[in-house]
Amino acid sequence: SIVYYEPKNKRLTVGRDHFGAKPLWIRREKGHIELATSLRSFLTKEIDQNYANNWHNRKWKGPGWMSVGRESMWKGINKVAPGEFYTFEGDNFENVVVGNLWNGHHIRSNKMNESKFEEKCVSSVKKLAKSKQKTGHFLSGGLDSTLVLSIIKELDLDLTVYIAAYDKTPGFFHTHEGFRNESEMAVETCKQFGVPYKVLKLDPHSRWHYDRMWLNNTHYIWTDNNRRAPRYMLAKAAAKDKCKVITTGDSGDELFSGYIHHAKRYNVD
């Protein structure tokens, strides 16, 4: 993100990168503006009751309170979308212009050059992962995180892999054995790659506990506790081991075709 102020023109420009690699939140009220990359940085916050009421009245609520687009559950605080920029002008920043860096980009499908795609993918991961700091990798057993691990294992990193496993407690509605099997696949991958790993087990009580810790420490209700809890558990373990860099395969399933259950989309029959 970037913030640029022109005092002579009384103009403030705020922008977020194309892909939203870092979060950016903004609060504008009573002639002043507050900006932060973390919701915790806002010292005073109150729930937006209109947002809360509208969410509870939705026919489809999704997996949990989610900040979609610019919206936020906190009154007066909005998220700057990826690529979005704001220009504020005037003594009290009353004139606002909103734009997006993606405007003008013509996104279209082209025949994929597989060798070029592979080269770009590998070089990009290596560039981002290269570090002298202790590194942790969150491995689910799915394709995305396995792909990233296959690349970074060749680098000279002080690397430890962290794997989330699940106990045998039956679920309220169903038992998803696939998730349990994925952790076993992750362990087998680490053995074959010859990289050190740690397996952390999640049970119903720790899922609730880590979820509360996520909310208390981030103030950000991201999807649901089934996603917040394992990530917080892994992050806590990596932090205890003094990892300063974390790599994952999160958010790559649309790009790299995703987990095993996506395979049916590509079956000829």
Side-chain angles (χ1 to χ4, degrees):
S1 301
I2 185 171
V3 178
Y4 180 64
Y5 182 58
E6 303 169 76
K8 290 184 178 180
N9 298 323
K10 298 180 179 179
R11 180 185 297 129
L12 176 69
T13 301
V14 178
R16 189 178 176 196
D17 69 280
H18 283 75
F19 296 99
K22 298 288 185 181
L24 182 61
W25 302 89
I26 186 169
R27 173 157 62 187
R28 176 172 172 257
E29 58 182 15
K30 298 179 182 179
H32 77 273
I33 294 174
E34 298 175 34
L35 302 162
T37 57
S38 170
L39 285 170
R40 292 188 63 193
S41 299
F42 296 104
L43 299 180
T44 58
K45 297 189 293 294
E46 62 177 302
I47 295 289
D48 186 335
Q49 289 301 322
N50 289 330
Y51 179 85
N53 293 337
N54 288 336
W55 186 88
H56 283 294
N57 289 332
R58 292 176 185 172
K59 292 182 179 179
W60 180 84
K61 293 183 173 62
W65 279 18
M66 299 174 66
S67 296
V68 179
R70 298 175 184 152
E71 67 182 25
S72 163
M73 63 175 286
W74 301 106
K75 189 175 182 179
I77 299 176
N78 294 100
K79 179 167 55 177
V80 180
E84 195 169 55
F85 63 86
Y86 290 73
T87 299
F88 302 93
E89 296 180 332
D91 293 327
N92 296 316
F93 304 114
E94 66 274 12
N95 298 322
V96 186
V97 176
V98 182
N100 199 295
L101 299 173
W102 287 107
N103 291 350
H105 283 266
H106 181 52
I107 300 176
R108 60 191 183 276
S109 296
N110 293 309
K111 184 177 181 180
M112 186 176 71
N113 184 321
E114 295 184 10
S115 60
K116 185 176 181 180
F117 175 81
E118 180 180 353
E119 186 275 326
K120 288 288 187 182
C121 178
V122 172
S123 62
S124 297
V125 172
K126 286 183 176 180
K127 181 179 178 180
L128 291 172
K130 189 176 182 180
S131 173
K132 295 181 180 179
Q133 304 281 359
K134 184 171 179 57
T135 300
H137 180 68
F138 296 169
L139 181 63
S140 68
L143 178 60
D144 305 325
S145 56
T146 302
L147 171 65
V148 174
L149 179 59
S150 71
I151 297 171
I152 66 174
K153 71 181 180 65
E154 304 298 334
L155 303 177
D156 186 21
L157 298 176
D158 182 5
L159 177 65
T160 300
V161 173
Y162 298 87
I163 300 168
Y166 301 85
D167 73 350
K168 297 295 183 180
T169 304
F172 290 113
F173 302 104
H174 68 282
T175 299
H176 201 316
E177 293 297 334
F179 288 134
R180 297 193 179 101
N181 294 335
E182 274 199 341
S183 64
E184 296 173 4
M185 291 170 62
V187 169
E188 184 61 29
T189 296
C190 289
K191 290 179 179 178
Q192 291 192 24
F193 283 172
V195 295
Y197 64 91
K198 291 186 177 181
V199 179
L200 297 96
K201 185 169 291 188
L202 199 65
D203 56 41
H205 174 75
S206 60
R207 185 185 70 163
W208 182 90
H209 174 66
Y210 286 126
D211 180 56
R212 298 305 97 179
M213 293 181 72
W214 171 290
L215 296 175
N216 289 336
N217 283 282
T218 67
H219 299 190
Y220 180 41
I221 300 180
W222 173 67
T223 63
D224 59 11
N225 55 11
N226 295 307
R227 292 164 177 79
R228 294 190 294 256
R231 280 162 180 76
Y232 194 91
M233 176 181 69
L234 297 179
K236 187 174 178 65
K240 186 177 180 180
D241 291 341
K242 296 182 171 52
C243 291
K244 299 298 183 182
V245 177
I246 294 295
T247 58
T248 74
D250 285 351
S251 301
D253 51 334
E254 291 83 4
L255 184 60
F256 296 121
S257 81
Y259 300 105
I260 292 175
H261 53 265
H262 285 287
K264 61 189 178 197
R265 300 171 186 259
Y266 299 98
N267 290 345
V268 176
D269 53 354

